[in-house]
Amino acid sequence: MVMLRIALAQVNVTVGDLAGNADIVVDWTRRAAARGARVVVFPEMALTGYPVEDLALRASFVDASIAVLREVAERLSVEGLGGIAVVAGYLDRRPGLAPRTGLPAGAPLDAAAVLHGGRVVITSAKHHLPNYGVFDEYRYFVPGNTLPVFRLPVPGTSDAVDIAVAICEDLWQDGGPVAVTRHAGASLLVVPNASPYERGKDDVRLDLVQRRAREAGAVLAYCNLVGGQDELVFDGDSILVSASGEPLARGPQFEEALIVADLELPPAVSDSGEAVDAGDGSLITIERVALPDIAAPPLAADVDPAAAAEPGPFWPRLDDLAEVYAALVLGTADYVRKNGFRTVLLALSGGIDSALVATIAADAIGPEQVHVILMPSKWSSDHSVTDAEDLVERQGLHARTIAIQAIVDSFRDGLGDFPLAGLPAENLQSRVRGVINMAVSNDEGHLVLTTGNKSELATGYSTLYGDSAGGFGPIKDVPKTVVWALSRWRNATAVAAGMTAPIPPNSIEKPPSAELAPGQLDTDSLPDYFVLDALLDDYVEKDMGSAELIAAGHDPALVARVIRLVDLAEYKRRQYPPGPKISQKNFGRDRRLPITSRWRETLPG
Amino acid sequence: MVMLRIALAQVNVTVGDLAGNADIVVDWTRRAAARGARVVVFPEMALTGYPVEDLALRASFVDASIAVLREVAERLSVEGLGGIAVVAGYLDRRPGLAPRTGLPAGAPLDAAAVLHGGRVVITSAKHHLPNYGVFDEYRYFVPGNTLPVFRLPVPGTSDAVDIAVAICEDLWQDGGPVAVTRHAGASLLVVPNASPYERGKDDVRLDLVQRRAREAGAVLAYCNLVGGQDELVFDGDSILVSASGEPLARGPQFEEALIVADLELPPAVSDSGEAVDAGDGSLITIERVALPDIAAPPLAADVDPAAAAEPGPFWPRLDDLAEVYAALVLGTADYVRKNGFRTVLLALSGGIDSALVATIAADAIGPEQVHVILMPSKWSSDHSVTDAEDLVERQGLHARTIAIQAIVDSFRDGLGDFPLAGLPAENLQSRVRGVINMAVSNDEGHLVLTTGNKSELATGYSTLYGDSAGGFGPIKDVPKTVVWALSRWRNATAVAAGMTAPIPPNSIEKPPSAELAPGQLDTDSLPDYFVLDALLDDYVEKDMGSAELIAAGHDPALVARVIRLVDLAEYKRRQYPPGPKISQKNFGRDRRLPITSRWRETLPG
């Protein structure tokens, strides 16, 4: 057996920022080399960011990605890092494919390259293209059909190790590069990933990685992206397992990290390069390249070159609520930062939704960057103002108060003989607040955050162009019952650390109300949220039909009512801003329904 | 040779309206039978509507589709129409596929069935799944792998004809059902379609159908859907060509029609049923069924049973502008009707965009259903009011005037020490108008139409939650220069027919202005629209990079400026309401870019 030190660089890159992402790859390779790593693995499409969507179809962007990859290889060599094998994802194209109907323009590839000795020594592309949930890759890519195996000399010995490269979805589907890795006899399979967070997915991923390591008969190094990108939050959580599936190291969740570990690997023996039945109806060609032995740079002073090949490091795991909260904070922080904003603005009502959003924002970018507006109307309760003021004081936010009644009245005057009552009158108040948010945002340059939760969004319990107006909705994928749980968890965490609870307990405990009409409560229009959320989970996440929902124990009248609300709210949801995705079926990219449709689950048939 | 009378029923169905769509299939089969047709072809997914999107993944909806197909077969027989072979699209599933990552839940099929004698006699499914442009079919369907060939007896003879069935995309890609049709020896290939309109696509389609008929060695009957569905407009334009590609009949554009034609076909001879190399890397099994000879119902009194098999009918073709205008009218009419609205509301500015939208709406649903609001501010010119009033009078619309200045001032008072100037002040006016539109719409139940055109939308020259607030944008895919051309065309058409020109000439001729600041003109912020639209076409539709754009003759400074505007407006466009699609790259479903992206064409690299 020979010893190889590997580093998984789970970094936070930005879509389209080729220069910035290139700097990240060079910088983190330098850090990995200083800790003695001879191979460094970066995430899928680390140089372009992920997902690039229609940018993949633009020739100038593909050209730029290929160019920056070569520049990075040269820069690494110039910096004395040419002896480190760097595996990084980027965007490439397959030459020689004639345009035809259905072929993505320019035949783009979701590619990975091995950089060594100042050169791009071998490239490959993702074989299995996901086209479900948040993924649309048949639109954008043509599949790869090779398995690259690079032979890396072990310094000071005559041995070398064979290292294969697969990409993300290649692990999730049967057959393909994993199966061919066993055939190729590689002792290590490195896998760049861009796998977005969902609640509970970390357990699924570990099982998968363990199973695929056993199938490949190789140590498996799974390096995942970190960071928010529009609605997606990549959680890192990189994994290293032995060929028998035993966990060897695991990175942190929701933060950048360099996971450095020593591996004991069998030396390279095989030399076959051939087309192999990939077990999925396709042929995959094994492409081999032997890397020259290039000296690595000196280690950092505090690194022990003779570290034992013991398992680790293992970062501590977050529990479920901590995980969700971290996803919301990272998703919000990155949306603000990557879109060039420095501050946010939101309407504070005294209720729990805006209190939690303000807290997430303060945790994401600092309370001094969070601006709030209290906008009481004549239906606002006393506690709506006092609870909001309490929150401002606990967290040190920038607050201002703008009373809306005179503005609402001026609309009523202007409308003249169309006196508004009921829902139109309620919506008017919400829209006046939306206009004020946008006016202050336009004037001062804040990103407006919306405060709607998933239960409201699902049932249409919000005002289009009113409370739904804004650039980002931090809790748009969080059901109301989870809003409460997160708020309690956040307060308890603060108290346990000897700090002030950030959220006023009264905002958590009082019955929810939109306060758009006298004495209004959410329960006037909606069922109890614990009952509602359970039903929404079965209808929206699990796609149960009405018969199944009733069989699962939901009240038939409630099933009919809620399904009607959810089906009719489709248009409103399309106009909702993006927000961090934490579930299987966030409204938006991964749930798509016609606006115009007469299908109702409650109809007979 | 034997004679067969065929009918193509290009009908307008509604997504999800299984009962309504079933009625349409029965009704149009009755009409076809009365005209002597023995085979009737309906569009792709005629029973469910198209596209059903995530409804395909809901088991209860698939069950309902299968059930309604069987009901239709029975109803046809009960009505004495069992002797007519009816080919209709519906949603089915492939049984026996175990769930796995990437497999659409429930293994749905974009299916077609032959109904005859009260039964579903054979079914098949689309083999080639489109996953580009507006299509996402790898998300929703598993591919079909059979070619059904049904043998239909020719009444009064001992002969029969063999008829094969393929579906839509099966024509657009090489190999597959078309190739296998030749092998099967079928003399007629019938193809249900749901092919959305784009400018110039009708010519492409005719060429394609002619080519595929020659490849199949069979008469080809192409039946396309008609009607608006969210952003898509299906244009009908069904085509019948001989085995040598000669046009035999062609239906109208943008309206329902029954295209009845007599075909001379070679009688059936082959009997092979086997798996055939489809020429696209797959095997397709030929499945044959022989239909019994069932008497057809009596002909309508005015139908000549011995009509000669001469080519035709051929409906007259629309020219380019008439075609675009018809698409906008049909898309608007169907969005209103299929979503259960009866009336629309829009803000009338006196400018050309709102004038054209009002005209489209009046043509779509009648002027008595069109409500307009004039909302002058202190920056509104005299002609903005007089031109709007002129339009109201020309068309007989419902108009009201609501002055907005007092409301704008009440916001300024409320904002207190945050005096707005510049862009925030301009946006405020637009948002006040948006709130008024929504208040009146909420109160009276109108669908709000937005009036933004594609040039504005592309460059972000509109106010989020202001003029972009509404349920449907009839001209969202129409560049400004085409707005003018359509307006002139519509006026000229009216005058040529001896009617009043519906659009005030001054609205067409005056320089465009948003009138949100004193003396403002669009040209203060944007280049001349003829220059801009040419550049947008190259950048947005053709995906040219900056170097290509400059090489194509666009001014380098303008290229940099416009690219920046277009790239930065991505978020606004996502919040825009749907509107009829008339181009390759409508913003929305068929153009998808990350909101968060640092990629700019103007950056070096």
Side-chain angles (χ1 to χ4, degrees), chain B residues 375-385 429 433 515-516:
Chain B
M375 292 184 272
S377 77
K378 65 177 167 188
W379 308 129
S380 298
S381 61
D382 291 342
H383 59 74
S384 76
V385 175
Q429 297 166 69
R433 293 187 175 119
E515 297 198 337
L516 294 171

Side-chain angles (χ1 to χ4, degrees), chain A residues 77-143:
Chain A
S77 179
V78 168
E79 291 210 21
L81 300 167
I84 314 297
V86 171
V87 180
Y90 73 111
L91 176 65
D92 202 340
R93 65 166 62 92
R94 171 168 303 153
L97 281 186
R100 58 170 174 76
T101 302
L103 184 78
L109 294 168
D110 180 334
V114 180
L115 310 182
H116 191 260
R119 294 188 311 117
V120 178
V121 291
I122 195 166
T123 69
S124 62
K126 184 151 65 173
H127 176 73
H128 290 297
L129 300 177
N131 203 82
Y132 54 88
V134 301
F135 306 110
D136 288 303
E137 295 201 351
Y138 280 107
R139 288 180 74 85
Y140 298 126
F141 300 118
V142 296

Side-chain angles (χ1 to χ4, degrees), chain A residues 58 60 230 470 543 571 596 601, chain B residues 60 230 470 543 571 596 601:
Chain A
R58 180 152 294 194
S60 55
D230 296 350
D543 260 329
Y571 175 76
T596 305
E601 278 295 337
Chain B
S60 54
D230 296 351
D543 261 328
Y571 175 76
T596 305
E601 278 295 336

Side-chain angles (χ1 to χ4, degrees), chain A residues 14-18 51-55 57-61 63-64 100-103 131-140 169 172-174 228-230 334-335 337-340 400-403 406-408 410-411 414-415 418-421 423-424 427-428 431-432 434-436 438-440 442-444 464-465 468-472 539-540 543-546 548 567 571 574-578 585 589-601 603 605, chain B residues 14-18 51-55 57-61 63-64 100-103 131-140 169 172-173 228-230 334-335 337-340 400-403 406-408 410-411 414-415 418-421 423-424 427-428 431-432 434-436 438-440 442-444 464-465 468-472 539-540 543-546 548 567 571 574-578 585 589-601 603 605:
Chain A
T14 300
V15 164
D17 187 8
L18 298 175
V52 296
E53 303 189 79
D54 276 16
L55 292 176
L57 307 178
R58 180 152 294 194
S60 55
F61 187 65
D63 290 341
R100 58 170 174 76
T101 302
L103 184 78
N131 203 82
Y132 54 88
V134 301
F135 306 110
D136 288 303
E137 295 201 351
Y138 280 107
R139 288 180 74 85
Y140 298 126
E169 188 74 4
W172 290 85
Q173 304 211 18
D174 291 332
Q229 167 63 37
D230 296 350
D334 274 356
Y335 195 86
R337 177 177 65 86
K338 293 181 179 181
N339 283 300
R400 73 192 88 184
T401 299
I402 298 177
I407 303 171
V408 171
S410 80
F411 273 102
L415 289 166
F418 312 100
L420 300 177
L423 199 63
N427 284 336
L428 176 60
R431 291 193 177 114
V432 166
V435 172
I436 291 172
M438 292 306 296
V440 175
N442 277 184
D443 205 44
E444 301 180 355
L464 194 57
Y465 320 124
S468 68
F472 197 68
Y539 183 55
V540 174
D543 260 329
M544 289 184 184
S546 54
E548 278 180 287
D567 287 0
Y571 175 76
R574 297 224 183 169
Q575 302 258 314
Y576 217 81
K585 298 214 176 166
R589 179 182 300 278
D590 52 339
R591 188 171 192 271
R592 306 177 190 198
L593 282 165
I595 301 170
T596 305
S597 167
R598 296 285 173 84
W599 172 251
R600 299 283 179 269
E601 278 295 337
L603 289 183
Chain B
T14 300
V15 164
D17 187 9
L18 299 176
V52 296
E53 303 189 81
D54 276 16
L55 292 176
L57 308 177
R58 182 152 291 193
S60 54
F61 186 64
D63 290 342
R100 58 170 175 75
T101 302
L103 183 78
N131 203 82
Y132 54 87
V134 300
F135 305 110
D136 289 303
E137 294 203 350
Y138 280 107
R139 288 180 74 84
Y140 297 126
E169 188 74 4
W172 290 85
Q173 305 210 16
Q229 168 62 37
D230 296 351
D334 274 356
Y335 195 87
R337 176 176 65 86
K338 294 181 179 181
N339 283 300
R400 72 192 90 187
T401 299
I402 298 177
I407 304 171
V408 171
S410 79
F411 273 102
L415 288 166
F418 310 101
L420 301 178
L423 200 61
N427 284 336
L428 177 60
R431 291 193 176 114
V432 166
V435 173
I436 292 172
M438 292 306 296
V440 175
N442 277 184
D443 206 42
E444 302 180 354
L464 195 55
Y465 318 126
S468 68
F472 197 68
Y539 184 55
V540 173
D543 261 328
M544 289 185 183
S546 55
E548 278 178 287
D567 287 0
Y571 175 76
R574 297 223 182 173
Q575 303 257 315
Y576 217 81
K585 300 217 176 164
R589 180 182 300 276
D590 52 340
R591 188 172 191 268
R592 307 178 190 197
L593 283 164
I595 301 171
T596 305
S597 169
R598 297 284 174 84
W599 172 251
R600 298 281 178 272
E601 278 295 336
L603 289 182

